[in-house]
Amino acid sequence: MDGYAISSGATVDATPDRPVTFVVQGTNAAGDDPIELPNEPIDGCYPCVEIMTGAQFPVSTSNAPFDACVKIEDTVPAGAKPEFQSQQHFILTRPIRLHANRRFAGGDMQKDDIIVKRGETIRSRHVMGLASVGIAEVVVRRRLRAAVWTTGNELTRDIHGTGKGNHIFDSNGPFLAAALREAGVEVDLMGILQDDVQSLERAFNLARSAAWDLIITTGAVSKGKFDFIVPALKRLRADVHFHGVAIRPGHPVLFATVDQDCGHIPFFGLPGNPIATAACFRFMVVPFLRQMLGQEPEQATTAELSMKSNDRDVFLACPSHLDCFRHGSVVTQPDGRRVIELSQSQSPAVISQYATSNCWAHISRGCNIDEGPIVVRCYPHTPPID
């Protein structure tokens, strides 16, 4: 505080009837070397030093230390008395506590304190902490780069086109680009692949010389006549680590690694239905990204599943042998309970209700509605960035 450095011991008996008088012996501004002087009474007045915010306390050369700062607004000028006209004096009418308005070295950060944890994304608050202790550089990982392709002869991004009846707008590509950017990843939205093996081969040939850390495609991973992702991967001699997971939506999802000039590049083949794409991204791609960045696994929150008729029907429609991901909205009840109400339609092709929800509910396989309230793990649509 802007005020005066004093000895708190001198104010122990201060009252309005018995005020203590101080005489100013100098000024310590922020950045100045601290004044050194004896802290001994002068003609019945105690010495003090005017001190500004951020300045070091004066050093006492006697036994009584300067150990507190009294704010300017808590002092009463004493200059009206003739004997105080030559110097600046003030009086205090109450005790000042020890170390009042004083900060000590090491009172904020100390040796071996952690300012930013390994794996955290450096934010402005971290920069403030690092800069405050003189750390100008830290070792970081660069941002990840991802390439995204969507597949399907029926897709178009020409929003100003003629609107042919056999075309639909590509929603997965823009969604994944936005979701990856929300996760802190740089994205190249590469376009739409036609429904043939050669399209993917050409894309991977491009990937071999590009500096991508991850490739994502959507569609063409099931067992239809034009689902060409798996045949293309086989021709490219990629290592398919899994194809098909016991989840809903998104069970045809696959993961592979493809040879690249600088090593193996991870590849996610997500299903084509938009909500299945969203679920697989949130629960497979996001954890993978966190692992690549050295971050800890995400910790879910919990909420009680609403047992309104729609929520009950959605729950009962979940196969007991699968882990199901259902979008909905978490609401806080008057009693403080967090309850999730599931969207009415959970079709992997229906976007409207997903777009107005705020979270995913993970309904684990084997959940039994007869065992009482169902508590599920909840994940916000936008993943947190550590």
Side-chain angles (χ1 to χ4, degrees):
M1 296 289 185
D2 292 328
Y4 302 94
I6 65 168
S7 172
S8 62
T11 68
V12 171
D13 298 321
T15 66
D17 295 330
R18 297 176 59 187
V20 180
T21 304
F22 288 85
V23 57
V24 179
Q25 297 292 293
T27 299
N28 260 155
D32 287 352
D33 290 331
I35 293 175
E36 296 185 16
L37 73 161
N39 191 358
E40 296 174 349
I42 305 171
D43 298 328
C45 301
Y46 288 94
C48 68
V49 173
E50 187 179 23
I51 190 169
M52 307 301 162
T53 301
Q56 292 191 59
F57 265 64
V59 176
S60 173
T61 58
S62 59
N63 290 331
F66 294 99
D67 57 16
C69 173
V70 58
K71 295 185 290 185
I72 293 175
E73 52 266 37
D74 290 340
T75 65
V76 178
K81 296 183 178 181
E83 63 268 30
F84 296 154
Q85 291 298 316
S86 60
Q87 290 180 292
Q88 182 182 359
H89 292 73
F90 64 85
I91 60 174
L92 292 176
T93 59
R94 63 177 179 83
I96 302 298
R97 63 179 174 82
L98 178 66
H99 302 319
N101 303 312
R102 185 183 185 189
R103 297 191 182 107
F104 288 91
D108 185 3
M109 299 181 196
Q110 299 184 10
K111 184 178 180 181
D112 296 329
D113 281 353
I114 295 175
I115 300 174
V116 55
K117 296 179 181 178
R118 179 178 180 178
E120 280 189 283
T121 299
I122 295 181
R123 302 296 189 187
S124 54
R125 64 182 185 275
H126 299 130
V127 173
M128 177 186 286
L130 294 167
S132 72
V133 293
I135 297 175
E137 295 181 353
V138 293
V139 177
V140 298
R141 294 174 185 259
R142 64 168 176 80
R143 285 183 181 271
L144 298 177
R145 287 189 62 203
V148 174
W149 278 276
T150 49
T151 69
N153 294 344
E154 76 281 10
L155 297 181
T156 182
R157 291 186 187 155
D158 183 11
I159 61 174
H160 302 295
T162 57
K164 294 181 180 179
N166 59 340
H167 281 169
I168 60 174
F169 292 121
D170 173 24
S171 59
N172 285 341
F175 163 78
L176 285 172
L180 285 162
R181 291 185 184 113
E182 286 175 342
V185 179
E186 295 180 0
V187 187
D188 291 323
L189 188 54
M190 301 302 295
I192 300 169
L193 300 178
Q194 297 301 298
D195 288 329
D196 57 68
V197 171
Q198 291 74 26
S199 293
L200 188 60
E201 288 181 338
R202 287 192 294 269
F204 280 164
N205 286 332
L206 177 62
R208 282 195 167 97
S209 58
W212 290 315
D213 302 293
L214 180 69
I215 295 175
I216 303 176
T217 64
T218 68
V221 291
S222 191
K223 298 184 182 298
K225 184 175 182 179
F226 295 100
D227 291 333
F228 62 91
I229 294 292
V230 173
L233 289 172
K234 290 180 178 178
R235 286 178 54 167
L236 291 164
R237 296 183 179 179
D239 293 321
V240 178
H241 301 281
F242 63 78
H243 181 202
V245 179
I247 62 172
R248 183 172 291 179
H251 68 276
V253 61
L254 70 81
F255 176 74
T257 48
V258 183
D259 285 335
Q260 195 183 26
D261 291 347
C262 55
H264 297 286
I265 183 168
F267 170 86
F268 277 98
L270 308 185
N273 274 315
I275 309 307
T277 291
C280 290
F281 175 81
R282 187 65 180 85
F283 295 101
M284 294 196 176
V285 178
V286 168
F288 187 80
L289 292 173
R290 294 180 70 90
Q291 177 70 23
M292 291 182 75
L293 292 170
Q295 297 175 345
E296 295 295 323
E298 180 182 352
Q299 298 300 311
T301 59
T302 58
E304 186 177 311
L305 190 64
S306 166
M307 280 293 106
K308 295 179 180 179
S309 58
N310 174 72
D311 296 293
R312 187 181 181 91
D313 291 343
V314 170
F315 178 83
L316 292 173
C318 295
S320 60
H321 65 290
L322 300 177
D323 280 81
C324 292
F325 301 101
R326 298 297 186 232
H327 51 81
S329 295
V330 169
V331 294
T332 302
Q333 301 297 320
D335 60 4
R337 290 181 304 120
R338 298 177 74 248
V339 175
I340 182 168
E341 298 179 355
L342 301 180
S343 305
Q344 289 190 0
S345 175
Q346 297 290 333
S347 167
V350 174
I351 296 174
S352 56
Q353 295 187 31
Y354 168 73
T356 57
S357 63
N358 65 20
C359 69
W360 287 100
H362 179 187
I363 301 174
S364 301
R365 67 188 71 185
C367 275
N368 189 343
I369 201 171
D370 297 326
E371 294 177 355
I374 302 297
V375 177
V376 297
R377 285 170 284 176
C378 293
Y379 297 83
H381 287 318
T382 301
I385 304 176
D386 291 342

